[in-house]
């Protein structure tokens, strides 16, 4: 801001052209129920060099997407169950935050939130606390 150069001006023009060309695009906001749903997934060891996983989750309030995250993990998981479980835990934490945010807005959300995951061992681990003894390696 204090010392703009020609490259800054060209980058600004490129950004403004992009914004102008994508004004018609966006995320649809539709009137629907206020049922919160979360979908979680993890791509175990997707980076062939570092063997780190990429996780992602998205939350819908009714039919409207309200939150999403995709990021490469900072640690290497030993199994697909471990990586999916970490993604599920992260999605759950964000879901709890969204529920509290809705409560701050005066929107009461009494029904339990459906959290979807596609890994059967992770679902079994999350549902049955007996398995937690076998997962001491997961922080």
């Amino acid at each position: 801001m204090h010392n703009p150069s020609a490259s800054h001006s060209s980058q600004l023009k490129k950004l403004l052209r992009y914004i102008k060309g994508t004004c018609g695009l966006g995320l649809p906001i539709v009137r629907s129920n206020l049922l919160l749903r979360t979908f979680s997934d993890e791509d175990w060891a997707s980076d062939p060099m570092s063997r780190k996983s990429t996780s992602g989750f998205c939350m819908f309030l009714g039919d409207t997407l309200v939150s999403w995250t995709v990021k490469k993990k900072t640690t290497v998981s030993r199994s697909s169950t471990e990586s999916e479980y970490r993604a599920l835990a992260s999605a759950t934490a964000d879901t709890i935050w969204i529920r509290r945010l809705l409560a701050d807005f005066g929107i009461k959300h009494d029904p339990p939130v459906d959290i979807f995951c596609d890994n059967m061992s992770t679902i079994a681990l999350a549902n049955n606390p007996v398995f937690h003894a076998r997962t001491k390696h997961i922080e």
Side-chain angles (χ1 to χ4, degrees), residues 22-42:
T22 57
C23 284
L25 302 178
L27 296 173
I29 299 174
V30 294
R31 179 172 282 227
S32 62
N33 61 10
L34 294 179
L35 189 63
L36 191 60
R37 293 171 299 142
T38 301
F39 297 87
S40 169
D41 197 16
E42 178 100 12

Side-chain angles (χ1 to χ4, degrees), residues 23-98:
C23 284
L25 302 178
L27 296 173
I29 299 174
V30 294
R31 179 172 282 227
S32 62
N33 61 10
L34 294 179
L35 189 63
L36 191 60
R37 293 171 299 142
T38 301
F39 297 87
S40 169
D41 197 16
E42 178 100 12
D43 190 8
W44 180 51
S46 57
D47 186 344
M49 299 301 285
S50 68
R51 306 307 295 164
K52 292 182 181 174
S53 303
T54 303
S55 75
F57 59 87
C58 60
M59 271 178 275
F60 288 86
L61 188 59
D63 295 329
T64 303
L65 181 66
V66 292
S67 177
W68 67 93
T69 299
V70 176
K71 87 183 225 188
K72 187 177 182 180
K73 293 294 185 182
T74 57
T75 58
V76 176
S77 298
R78 293 182 180 176
S79 66
S80 63
T81 301
E82 178 185 349
S83 64
E84 291 270 357
Y85 190 73
R86 287 180 186 220
L88 190 63
S90 184
T92 302
D94 210 49
T95 301
I96 292 168
W97 180 79
I98 291 287

Side-chain angles (χ1 to χ4, degrees), residues 92-135:
T92 302
D94 210 49
T95 301
I96 292 168
W97 180 79
I98 291 287
R99 272 186 86 167
R100 290 183 180 157
L101 185 65
L102 288 172
D104 287 347
F105 290 144
I107 301 170
K108 201 169 182 183
H109 193 277
D110 289 332
V113 177
D114 290 328
I115 300 178
F116 298 94
C117 174
D118 63 353
N119 187 293
M120 295 305 289
S121 12
T122 301
I123 294 168
L125 179 61
N127 285 329
N128 192 347
V130 172
F131 292 131
H132 288 268
R134 298 182 195 161
T135 59

Side-chain angles (χ1 to χ4, degrees), residues 12-29:
L12 178 62
K13 285 180 185 178
K14 185 176 180 180
L15 175 66
L16 292 174
R17 284 187 195 113
Y18 173 78
I19 292 172
K20 183 179 179 186
T22 57
C23 284
L25 302 178
L27 296 173
I29 299 174

